[in-house]
Amino acid sequence: MGFKEHCFKKSLWLFHFAGASCNNCDIEILDCLTPRYDVERFGMLLVGSIRHADVLLVNGSINQRDKSRLLELYEQAPKPILVVAIGACGCTGGIFAEGNTFAGPVDKIIPVDAYIPGCPPKPEAILAGVVKLLNK
Amino acid sequence: MVKKTLIPIGPYHPLQEEPELFKLYCEGEIVKDIKWETGYNHRGIEQLSEKKTYDQSFFLVERICGICSTSHPFAFANAVEEICNIEITNRAKYIRTIIAELERVHSHLLWVGLAGHFLGYNTVFMWAWKYREPVLDLFEMISGNRNSYAMFKVGGVRRDIENNKIPQILDVLSLVKKKTDMLVGAVMDDPVIHARTKGVGILTKQDIIDFAAVGPTARASGVAIDVRKDDPYAAYPLVNWKVITAQAGDVFAKAEVRLLEMYESISIIEQCLEGLKKEKEGEINVKVKDIPEGWGTGHAEAPRGEVFHYVLSDGSNSPARHKIRAPSYTNIATFKKSCIGQTISDATISLAAVDPCYCCTERMAVAYDSKTGNKIMNGNELIALSAQKTQNIKNQI
């Protein structure tokens, strides 16, 4: 078992970064915590500080004001960390990619481990994405 | 002299779903002043809309805000239809109204849940979000997506609600109604919630008028302002319903208004479904040949208040100018009144009480003094003015 597998063997704690989004993905991520999907069963927990997190969830297009903050968060994160880009905007910039404040999709700013497309992705898709990432 | 403490909340805080920064200036535990910074969510939507055709713009305005993803296309459709001067069919009107009211139900449930979460009452959070799911399932059945519905277009709607789907919708509505009864019972009769929300974050009628607040925030302070009644659009004049108001203006009154509005919404949907049965299936579209030159305004009552769209057309296939005004923009300003003088622990729920939505809010604005009509200047403009004066004096010398 490698170092990375060892780190992600037990309960994953998630940190959620909302870029310049339309709120849909934020709500769907929060929806994963509620009774129908309930990811806390698997030991996944949304935490308040990046320093406690194993996974960084990023959604929304990133604008010029968010860019430096996302970089700073990534630098503060304990390594290894898994980065998941959620939603069409997180993956490519989506409908906002032509906007005048757009500063590039997430993978141009920090390395991304998994992409979950959809506008917004359903909570099932978000769960499936994280499971796939763990089995990688 | 008392020492002032600055407490920053945000921009990426576990309490908030969206990025925004609040600065609370406190003396001891009392909040003395509040400032906020936004811009973390700015996407340049008005500019993007000018690059897109009218049909594409609907998908864009839908993504201004994920929770109000009917209200923005609704207002935009009203504006463009005003330019074209067309009247849509009754069936399309009913379908638009049903979607808008279903959205209000799920948005208010979402707010009740979040408010419970902010109060440390996670049971309410879990309940409200659990019973929100059947409404999202309805959306998935009707439109194919849980959140962004893509139902609107100029001249009607994209998809029909077939008559054989009506019983299923009614089933879900009766379930939601039953669960709302339970939530109302749980929230209204709970002594802890009374203690935490009554007398907290009070906005008087005068405050509402001063800050031009809209939506449930205004209605909870006794200002019966509702676009659906004041300037009826779509099927609202065809159905019976009343505007819910409360007088107290505190957080409890805002919760009360939202919970009772859900009953009104369910009743509107039921009446619209009745109306839908009388109309012929498939008549959901009026053909639009081209968009003539001119301008139009449209508004719609979002779950948070009035959404206003202004569209200027130059006769081409995309808007020449598109101006959007979202309800949270004015509602957020009421923090200046509702949070000051509260303890820090009450500030959170006062902030959450207007159901702020920052992704709607991110835009430029210029303020004018209502009495004199003069433009109120910001810092940079004042500096520019000062530089201009120096230049003038230099020229004279």
Side-chain angles (χ1 to χ4, degrees), chain B residues 179-190 259 263:
Chain B
K179 297 304 176 189
T180 312
D181 286 340
M182 190 196 76
L183 266 179
V184 170
V187 172
M188 299 288 190
D189 300 337
D190 193 304
L259 283 168
Y263 289 116

Side-chain angles (χ1 to χ4, degrees), chain A residues 15-31 33-37 40 46-49 61 63 65-66 69-70 73 95-102 119-120 122-124, chain B residues 11-12 14 17-19 37-45 47-48 51-52 56 59-60 63-67 69 110 114 125-127 129-130 132-134 136-137 140 145-148 357 359:
Chain A
F15 182 82
H16 171 212
F17 176 94
S21 72
C22 75
N23 227 349
N24 259 339
C25 301
D26 313 62
I27 296 296
E28 294 292 56
I29 290 169
L30 208 54
D31 228 17
L33 297 174
T34 55
R36 188 183 278 188
Y37 304 102
E40 285 186 13
L46 271 187
V47 290
S49 167
S61 68
N63 68 17
R65 204 168 183 191
D66 296 334
R69 285 157 177 98
L70 179 59
L73 269 177
I95 200 163
F96 305 120
E98 293 164 8
N100 52 356
T101 57
F102 184 63
C119 188
K122 292 175 75 173
E124 289 98 330
Chain B
Y12 302 98
E17 272 310 295
E18 298 158 272
E37 258 178 43
T38 52
Y40 302 99
N41 225 329
H42 189 86
R43 286 153 285 160
I45 287 183
Q47 187 229 22
L48 272 175
K51 288 183 193 166
K52 294 192 185 297
Q56 291 169 336
F59 301 111
L60 179 72
R63 282 161 182 80
I64 291 172
C65 170
I67 314 173
S69 59
L110 184 144
L114 285 181
F125 172 57
M126 291 294 173
W127 273 345
W129 282 59
K130 184 177 174 187
R132 184 177 156 262
E133 290 293 330
L136 295 185
D137 287 346
E140 203 174 349
N145 203 357
R146 282 158 55 90
N147 291 71
S148 296
C357 178
C359 42

Side-chain angles (χ1 to χ4, degrees), chain B residues 6-63:
Chain B
L6 167 67
I7 298 183
I9 308 180
Y12 302 98
H13 193 270
L15 186 71
Q16 303 152 332
E17 272 310 295
E18 298 158 272
E20 69 273 350
L21 175 59
F22 291 111
K23 293 175 182 165
L24 304 179
Y25 295 87
C26 306
E27 274 177 19
E29 221 191 327
I30 307 294
V31 179
K32 287 288 173 191
D33 198 4
I34 179 168
K35 282 183 182 157
W36 58 91
E37 258 178 43
T38 52
Y40 302 99
N41 225 329
H42 189 86
R43 286 153 285 160
I45 287 183
E46 289 176 7
Q47 187 229 22
L48 272 175
S49 172
E50 287 153 22
K51 288 183 193 166
K52 294 192 185 297
T53 66
Y54 285 99
D55 267 353
Q56 291 169 336
S57 277
F58 276 97
F59 301 111
L60 179 72
V61 293
E62 198 166 65
R63 282 161 182 80

